[in-house]
Amino acid sequence: MTLLSGPGLRRELEALDAEQRDAVVDDGDLAALAGPGSGKTRTLVAKVGYLLASQQISNHRGVAAISYGREAAREITRRLRRLGVAPERRLTSSTLHSWCLNAILRPYGPLVGIPVPDPGGVVDEWSVAWTQHVTPSYAEAGIQGRGNAKEVVRARRIVASGRPQEIEALGKIADVARSFDARLTAAGLFDFDSIIAQSLQILREHSEVSKMVAARYPWLIIDEYQDLGPVLHELVLHLRNREGVRVAAFGDPDQTIMSFNGADPRYLQEFASQEGVRAIVLTTNYRCGQSVIDASHVVLDEPRPHRADPLREDNGDLELVPLDGGLPDHAQRAVDKVHELMATGVGLHQIAIFYPRKGELLDAVVAALNAAGLPYVHEGEQRFPKGDLADFIRDCAARAVRGPTIRTTAAQDTDQAHTIMEIVFSYNRLRRGSGLPEIPEHVAGGVLVSALQPVSADHSLAVWLEKLSNALALPAISTGSPIARDQVVLEQFLGYAHSYGLTVGDAAGTVRTGRLTLVTYHSAKGREWDFVILPGLVDGIMPYRPWSRPHGRHLEPREADLAESRRLFYVALTRTRRTAILLYGDFWISSRGDRNEYGKSRFVLELLNHRVRVPHHVDSVQHEQQVVLS
């Protein structure tokens, strides 16, 4: 093992609470049920560091840390280095799709006769290359009409997982899923679902490959287990139950809000109930005050063991604001609240405004923010492309803007060195994935240091990127990548840079300084702000009611959809470190001009009607509202 600073990891273990430490040092299979603000990521990172430091793990036997998103995967490595742990090749921290592609499909697919993606062969869902197969797949299954792409996504995952009862319940849609997969294969295309499905097939049908993967990765650490879908669940159970791979699954069934991606709380619950798996509940919420925690339990309508940090001196605040007007009034009141907070010295970066989905509420909030001249980042309108190569470019931009000379302490010196090494590792991963030879780390480090000379934040992004591309051979990496989005990422970056006059600072993310965040409930998951504002709490907006043209109204949500909306609202409430501000009313007007009077959000009514043990504040600017308190 290699430790840069053993005391860093030891100090971290000592700083954890008893439940967190128990999850870290347990040597068996583990389900860590981590409520909001419970230090899940901190505990997971300490778990990985503990395994790397205490187990006989070499560069040929390591830990696979699998996350839902790329940023979460990279954060694991960053935090480990801050603890003084050098993962080197003993840790693979990546998304599920990347791990399956690089650890299973690409190395073993050709050996067992399963094709692997050609350059540009992995297409995104909803791309033209993908959607053109939806309607023909329905026709081949004997179902007329345009088809439903979301239904195809869900059905393919169920079919790939191999669960007989669930496949049978799909009926003819299972045939649609099979037809769709066959059409992708015939076209020489993969998407991210087929990467996972093919990987599971390889493991199930070729025991020698299954054993080699298990030998390479004796430990799997999985973040947000409940969100990663049925195929991952079956893949994990296969490696654990057939090959003896140890598994530590982290997540929270109550925060399952990605059902459109195949997420389901029962996957984590099923894993936790497996024989030999120990379930540990992380109960302390270090983010929220007790008043917000109590309110979140009311919304779930079930008791939970979560409690505030016993060292916290305040209860936090839940502010309920009744409004008489429609959604434009909600938006204006949100803006007024921002101004009130700013007047007390709160920075804009400490404030977030949430919206459930695109539509009338978002339009009203954007109009109010623009009219007020408030600077904000609307994360739903990011101009930058996505993907591993795009992330690498933005990491390079952040390094160039920050520069290696901005150092005030020895600790920052260490962080700077680690940043360069992370970029080196990312660069070689990109080269490897594109079929290019890796560059020795000391050579790559020199090349990158030279390429990432400090620039000002207002330096032209287009000029800088052209120089970076030439220095690092990014066009060759782009064209050799199996991911279709990587093949156009340089063109997209340059196009956006020219069209919008973007700077290197924009790419580095420095535009967030001094701006509030406008973000969906879904994208707020896993994050926190001091103040969160939730406008538009009217039934039909939250929870959502689907529009029915035959009925001429918005219908009552289905039971499963209502349950997910409940979890979504729970997630939104628990993003705040200090105050959650809830703006609610009785009606809203649709884009068609219809006045929808379904009343206050049922979640707000539950808060108003229950006896919340800790008092919360009611803003009665427009009218009085009696709240029952114990």
Side-chain angles (χ1 to χ4, degrees):
M1 74 190 72
T2 302
L3 293 180
L4 293 179
S5 176
L9 180 58
R10 288 196 295 272
R11 284 194 297 269
E12 180 71 352
L13 292 177
E14 292 169 358
L16 299 177
D17 65 35
E19 294 165 345
Q20 294 169 331
R21 195 178 307 113
D22 203 12
V24 169
V25 303
D26 190 284
D27 287 330
D29 295 310
L30 170 73
L33 307 177
S38 61
K40 173 179 64 67
T41 302
R42 183 183 189 183
T43 307
L44 185 152
V45 170
K47 177 78 173 180
V48 174
Y50 177 79
L51 290 173
L52 294 176
S54 64
Q55 305 286 319
Q56 294 301 312
I57 294 176
S58 67
N59 284 342
H60 302 290
R61 282 174 58 81
V63 177
I66 298 171
S67 301
Y68 184 80
R70 290 182 300 275
E71 182 56 35
R74 295 190 299 165
E75 181 65 13
I76 293 172
T77 303
R78 281 196 289 264
R79 291 199 189 195
L80 281 172
R81 291 187 177 280
R82 287 198 290 270
L83 294 178
V85 178
E88 298 173 337
R89 295 183 181 277
R90 299 174 299 144
L91 171 66
T92 298
S93 182
S94 65
T95 64
L96 170 62
H97 310 100
S98 179
W99 184 72
C100 285
L101 177 62
N102 295 311
I104 303 175
L105 183 58
R106 294 187 76 174
Y108 299 114
L111 301 179
V112 299
I114 291 181
V116 298
D118 292 325
V122 181
V123 297
D124 291 335
E125 291 176 4
W126 317 109
S127 65
V128 173
W130 190 91
T131 54
Q132 67 180 350
H133 297 290
V134 173
T135 299
S137 297
Y138 274 83
E140 289 170 6
I143 303 174
Q144 300 304 311
R146 295 178 59 186
N148 184 323
K150 289 184 179 180
E151 187 176 55
V152 170
V153 170
R154 176 177 174 273
R156 291 175 67 216
R157 291 169 178 168
I158 291 174
V159 169
S161 71
R163 296 185 158 207
Q165 291 182 332
E166 294 180 32
I167 294 174
E168 185 178 354
L170 290 173
K172 296 189 71 174
I173 302 302
D175 294 330
V176 173
R178 297 184 184 100
S179 174
F180 188 95
D181 282 328
R183 292 181 62 85
L184 278 188
T185 300
L189 297 176
F190 286 75
D191 64 2
F192 294 104
D193 276 336
S194 55
I195 287 172
I196 308 173
Q198 295 278 38
S199 297
L200 177 58
Q201 179 185 344
I202 290 173
L203 295 182
R204 282 177 166 169
E205 296 180 358
H206 302 277
S207 61
E208 67 282 7
V209 174
S210 184
K211 293 183 187 305
M212 285 189 283
V213 171
R216 175 67 181 87
Y217 298 102
W219 269 98
L220 296 180
I221 311 294
I222 303 173
D223 192 16
E224 302 291 4
Y225 191 99
Q226 74 284 348
D227 283 343
L228 293 177
V231 187
L232 167 77
H233 183 52
E234 291 299 322
L235 189 151
V236 168
L237 293 182
H238 174 90
L239 288 174
R240 175 184 182 266
N241 298 336
R242 291 282 298 274
E243 307 299 348
V245 170
R246 293 291 195 190
V247 179
F250 288 73
D252 182 7
D254 291 332
Q255 296 185 70
T256 307
I257 59 174
M258 305 287 186
S259 64
F260 55 88
N261 277 338
D264 195 307
R266 64 195 168 100
Y267 298 131
L268 181 54
Q269 293 163 343
E270 283 183 11
F271 178 78
S273 65
Q274 290 272 308
E275 183 178 355
V277 173
R278 183 185 179 195
I280 296 178
V281 182
L282 306 184
T283 58
T284 302
N285 184 333
Y286 293 96
R287 178 190 304 139
C288 303
Q290 193 63 48
S291 64
V292 174
I293 294 172
D294 289 343
S296 72
H297 294 169
V298 169
V299 171
L300 286 179
D301 200 27
E302 293 181 15
R304 292 291 186 271
H306 310 142
R307 62 183 185 275
D309 181 358
L311 299 179
R312 181 169 179 147
E313 296 181 353
D314 68 281
N315 285 321
D317 196 10
L318 182 69
E319 188 174 329
L320 297 163
V321 184
L323 297 172
D324 290 327
L327 297 181
D329 290 327
H330 286 247
Q332 185 56 52
R333 189 70 185 115
V335 167
D336 293 343
K337 280 293 179 184
V338 172
H339 283 302
E340 291 173 18
L341 292 170
M342 292 172 63
T344 65
V346 175
L348 281 173
H349 66 280
Q350 298 172 283
I351 306 169
I353 299 176
F354 295 172
Y355 64 95
R357 63 190 58 79
K358 290 183 177 180
E360 296 86 354
L361 175 60
L362 173 61
D363 295 342
V365 172
V366 167
L369 288 171
N370 290 339
L374 284 171
Y376 65 95
V377 174
H378 181 196
E379 296 192 348
E381 296 296 331
Q382 291 285 344
R383 294 193 183 105
F384 294 107
K386 298 179 180 179
D388 290 337
L389 182 52
D391 287 345
F392 174 77
I393 292 170
R394 299 194 71 179
D395 284 346
C396 288
R399 170 72 185 191
V401 168
R402 185 171 58 182
T405 60
I406 305 176
R407 300 172 175 174
T408 57
T409 68
Q412 283 183 309
D413 282 350
T414 302
D415 287 344
Q416 290 286 344
H418 292 166
T419 300
I420 273 292
M421 289 310 298
E422 288 168 14
I423 295 176
V424 167
F425 293 145
S426 296
Y427 182 54
N428 270 329
R429 278 197 300 270
L430 289 170
R431 291 182 63 90
R432 186 168 63 248
S434 297
L436 300 176
E438 293 188 36
I439 298 176
E441 290 173 3
H442 69 283
V443 176
V447 170
L448 283 160
V449 168
S450 176
L452 300 180
Q453 291 298 309
V455 298
S456 64
D458 59 2
H459 189 83
S460 165
L461 176 61
V463 172
W464 176 84
L465 182 55
E466 287 181 354
K467 291 181 178 178
L468 184 75
S469 296
N470 292 332
L472 301 183
L474 296 187
I477 291 175
S478 176
T479 57
S481 172
I483 311 299
R485 65 170 71 137
D486 284 350
Q487 300 221 323
V488 297
V489 72
L490 295 175
E491 178 183 335
Q492 288 178 335
F493 258 106
L494 289 172
Y496 293 146
H498 287 299
S499 298
Y500 298 104
L502 299 181
T503 67
V504 181
D506 291 330
T510 56
V511 293
R512 294 180 183 276
T513 303
R515 296 170 182 255
L516 68 82
T517 303
L518 178 61
V519 64
T520 64
Y521 284 36
H522 286 93
S523 296
K525 183 182 177 185
R527 302 163 67 185
E528 58 184 33
W529 292 265
D530 283 351
F531 299 88
V532 299
I533 304 173
L534 280 64
L537 295 179
V538 188
D539 219 72
I541 299 292
M542 173 51 70
Y544 175 70
R545 285 172 174 254
W547 170 256
S548 170
R549 181 176 295 178
H551 293 87
R553 59 184 173 85
H554 295 83
L555 302 180
E556 179 71 13
R558 297 180 307 167
E559 183 177 349
D561 294 335
L562 180 59
E564 175 143 333
S565 289
R566 188 175 292 282
R567 295 191 296 268
L568 193 60
F569 190 63
Y570 168 77
V571 166
L573 270 184
T574 54
R575 298 309 94 196
T576 180
R577 288 186 290 255
R578 294 174 60 182
T579 302
I581 302 169
L582 279 53
L583 311 181
Y584 66 95
D586 292 305
F587 75 95
W588 55 283
I589 296 175
S590 73
S591 58
R592 295 179 299 274
D594 303 323
R595 183 182 174 99
N596 300 290
E597 298 183 335
Y598 301 114
K600 303 172 182 63
S601 167
R602 64 195 73 188
F603 305 144
V604 170
L605 287 176
E606 290 167 359
L607 293 175
L608 294 173
N609 294 331
H610 278 69
R611 293 181 176 271
V612 181
R613 294 181 61 84
V614 179
H616 54 266
H617 174 63
V618 177
D619 183 326
S620 55
V621 170
Q622 299 206 17
H623 62 266
E624 293 296 325
Q625 173 68 52
Q626 181 66 37
V627 180
V628 181
L629 300 172
S630 61

